[in-house]
Every structure is written in C-alpha cells, then in structure tokens.
C-alpha cells in the first residue's frame, strides 16, 4: 500500500511538472554539488552527459565520502567503503563522459554535514567558497531544500552561503533526489513551480541508466551495494527521460 502511494505521488508530481515547465538550455560551465557519491548521477546524470557531449566544462564536487552507508549493516570499515565508492564515482562519471580530473572529493564526514546553526558551518562554507572562487562556474546545481535527508538539506545551505561569500556570478539550481520520495506532499504546493525546468534527457537516457548500474551493481562482501540499499520506489523516479531542476537566482 505504501509503495503504491509512493508511486502515485511520483505520477502526481510529474503531471504537475508537465503543466508548468520549460526546457533548460545551457552552454556555460556547470558545477554539480553532491552530498554523497551517487547523488550527482541520480539527480543530474542526464545533464552531465549532455553537457560533456556538447563540450561544456563540468565539475563535480562530492562533499562526503559516503563512508556511513554500511554502518547499520555489516560494519565494514568506513575507509574501505569510501575507497570503493570513490572508484565507482570515477567509473560512473566516465560513462557520462567526464574525466576524473573534473571530480573533487572533499571527504567531509558522511551523515554529519553541518546545518546553518552548527558551529562547523562557517568552516565548510569557507572551504566551498574558496573552490567556487577558483572555478567560477556559470551554473551551480545542489540538492533541493525539501529533500528531507539532513546531509542534502545541509549541502543546500552550505552551497547557498558559499555562493554569497565567494561573490561568483552564477545561475543557481536545485536538483531532486530524495525529493521524489521524502518530500511531504503538502510541501509540493510550496515548491517554486514557476521556476521549475524539466530537461529532456532522452538522447542520453541509456548512458544515465548505465551509470546508475555502475553505482548500484557492485556489492560489498555483505551482498548489499556499496551505496547501501536504496528504496525501489526511489530508484523508479530515475526511470524517467527527464530531469527536474528549480532555478533559484
Ligand atoms: Zn545522498
Ligand atoms: Zn554491509
């Protein structure tokens, strides 16, 4: 029953999108900020593949190593999980046309990204702001504030503040991962739908699916994927030939 409800809400949200969106066109540098290794492919895999194909410069910033994904599972060491997940990131992004020198691993602690009221928040903002000032991306993508998952919300707060502090001239977008599963439905009416953009990724859909498999296929010795087991209904959200973004500023 719960599964049916979750699939129905995806259907409802997609209908809402079709009513309100325009396509996204971009020719300038793109930066994707991912809280964990795999968010960039799930939320922006099509965007990355299309941008790479066009010769647009793409930078991917992975904030945490994703080391906690087996903490409540088999207890395999975080170092080992991080090492494997880092290799999977390089593999999956190669499939989308990106060289590993375009990926920055900041290796912040998984599950503990600081929200704006946390004492470590400023330090993290400064670190990211320094990176933004150096790379000067024309478009920045980070997770939607309604994602629900703490690291994703914190990634958004850190990115917003880092953009302000670095003074980069950029267009800022939210992308959607847990949004499809965890956003309370009443909040869907509070989303800024007039600035929603749906990117048609049908020409790179197969590439995106291959990259997702590269992340979710290989398993740790316990038999679960290195990223942990993600809910089936969440994965269904990415069987879609579009990607949803919200333009922020
Ligand atoms: Zn994540
Ligand atoms: Zn495990």
């Amino acid at each position: 029953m719960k599964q049916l409800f979750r699939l129905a809400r995806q259907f409802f949200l997609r209908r809402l999108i079709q009513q309100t969106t325009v396509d996204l066109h971009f020719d300038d540098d793109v930066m994707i900020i991912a809280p964990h290794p795999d968010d960039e492919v799930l939320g922006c895999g099509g965007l990355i593949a299309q941008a790479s194909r066009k010769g647009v410069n793409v930078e991917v910033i992975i904030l945490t190593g994703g080391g906690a994904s087996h903490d409540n599972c088999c207890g395999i060491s975080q170092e080992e999980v991080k090492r494997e997940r880092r290799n999977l990131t390089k593999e999956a992004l190669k499939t989308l046309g990106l060289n590993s020198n375009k990926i920055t691993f900041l290796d912040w602690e998984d599950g503990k990204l600081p929200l704006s009221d946390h004492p470590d928040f400023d330090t993290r903002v400064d670190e990211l702001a320094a990176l933004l000032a150096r790379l000067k991306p024309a478009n920045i993508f980070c997770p939607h504030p309604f994602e629900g998952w703490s690291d994703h919300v914190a990634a958004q707060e850190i990115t917003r503040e880092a953009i302000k502090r670095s003074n980069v001239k950029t267009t800022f977008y939210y992308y959607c991962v847990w949004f499809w599963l965890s956003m309370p439905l009443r909040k869907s009416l509070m989303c800024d739908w007039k600035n929603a953009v749906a990117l048609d990724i049908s020409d790179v859909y197969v590439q995106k699916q291959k990259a997702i498999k590269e992340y979710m296929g290989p398993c740790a010795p316990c038999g679960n994927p290195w990223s942990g087991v993600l809910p089936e209904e969440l994965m269904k959200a990415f069987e879609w030939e579009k990607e949803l973004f919200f333009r922020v500023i």
Side-chain angles (χ1 to χ4, degrees), residues 68-117:
S69 58
H70 286 251
D71 277 7
N72 297 319
C73 169
C74 53
I76 190 171
S77 83
Q78 289 217 0
E79 283 312 309
E80 193 170 347
V81 174
K82 282 199 291 190
R83 196 170 52 240
E84 293 297 330
R85 291 189 73 174
R86 189 177 281 219
N87 289 336
L88 295 181
T89 304
K90 291 180 187 163
E91 236 3 78
L93 287 176
K94 195 166 142 200
T95 293
L96 301 180
L98 210 66
N99 281 329
S100 57
N101 64 352
K102 293 289 169 189
I103 315 170
T104 304
F105 295 96
L106 292 181
D107 208 15
W108 297 347
E109 200 175 348
D110 188 9
K112 300 205 172 147
L113 287 188
L115 291 159
S116 54
D117 56 355

Side-chain angles (χ1 to χ4, degrees), residues 219-233:
C219 290
C222 65
N224 287 331
W226 288 103
S227 296
V229 182
L230 297 180
E232 213 179 304
E233 307 91 281

Side-chain angles (χ1 to χ4, degrees), residues 41 92 95-96 205-215:
V41 165
T95 293
L96 301 180
Y205 180 73
V206 174
Q207 248 175 297
K208 176 172 177 175
Q209 292 307 314
K210 185 165 181 272
I212 291 177
K213 276 207 186 80
E214 277 160 347
Y215 260 125

Side-chain angles (χ1 to χ4, degrees), residues 33-215:
I33 314 270
H36 310 103
D38 66 11
D39 291 314
E40 79 291 358
V41 165
L42 296 174
C44 308
L47 170 85
I48 296 171
Q50 284 184 348
S52 304
R53 191 182 277 182
K54 275 193 189 173
V56 170
N57 183 45
V58 180
E59 299 278 347
V60 173
I61 315 295
I62 313 274
L63 300 183
T64 77
S69 58
H70 286 251
D71 277 7
N72 297 319
C73 169
C74 53
I76 190 171
S77 83
Q78 289 217 0
E79 283 312 309
E80 193 170 347
V81 174
K82 282 199 291 190
R83 196 170 52 240
E84 293 297 330
R85 291 189 73 174
R86 189 177 281 219
N87 289 336
L88 295 181
T89 304
K90 291 180 187 163
E91 236 3 78
L93 287 176
K94 195 166 142 200
T95 293
L96 301 180
L98 210 66
N99 281 329
S100 57
N101 64 352
K102 293 289 169 189
I103 315 170
T104 304
F105 295 96
L106 292 181
D107 208 15
W108 297 347
E109 200 175 348
D110 188 9
K112 300 205 172 147
L113 287 188
L115 291 159
S116 54
D117 56 355
H118 191 281
D120 291 342
F121 182 74
D122 270 343
T123 318
R124 293 315 191 200
V125 170
D126 283 342
E127 267 181 79
L128 187 61
L131 205 59
L132 298 188
R134 183 161 62 81
L135 296 171
K136 299 186 176 56
N139 301 286
I140 298 181
F141 293 76
C142 81
H144 194 282
F146 292 170
E147 293 254 296
W149 195 257
S150 165
D151 274 354
H152 284 227
V153 177
Q156 178 268 135
E157 291 184 355
I158 294 168
T159 306
R160 271 190 92 108
E161 191 56 32
I163 290 173
K164 263 194 233 158
R165 236 175 255 188
S166 64
N167 267 327
V168 285
K169 293 219 174 337
T170 189
T171 312
F172 180 30
Y173 297 90
Y174 295 138
Y175 65 84
C176 304
V177 180
W178 287 92
F179 177 94
W180 295 108
L181 193 72
S182 306
M183 179 184 59
L185 260 191
R186 65 185 160 78
K187 281 201 172 178
S188 63
L189 301 174
M190 291 152 65
C191 290
D192 185 15
W193 291 106
K194 69 177 187 311
N195 285 315
V197 279
L199 180 68
D200 180 347
I201 59 160
S202 49
D203 58 333
V204 291
Y205 180 73
V206 174
Q207 248 175 297
K208 176 172 177 175
Q209 292 307 314
K210 185 165 181 272
I212 291 177
K213 276 207 186 80
E214 277 160 347
Y215 260 125

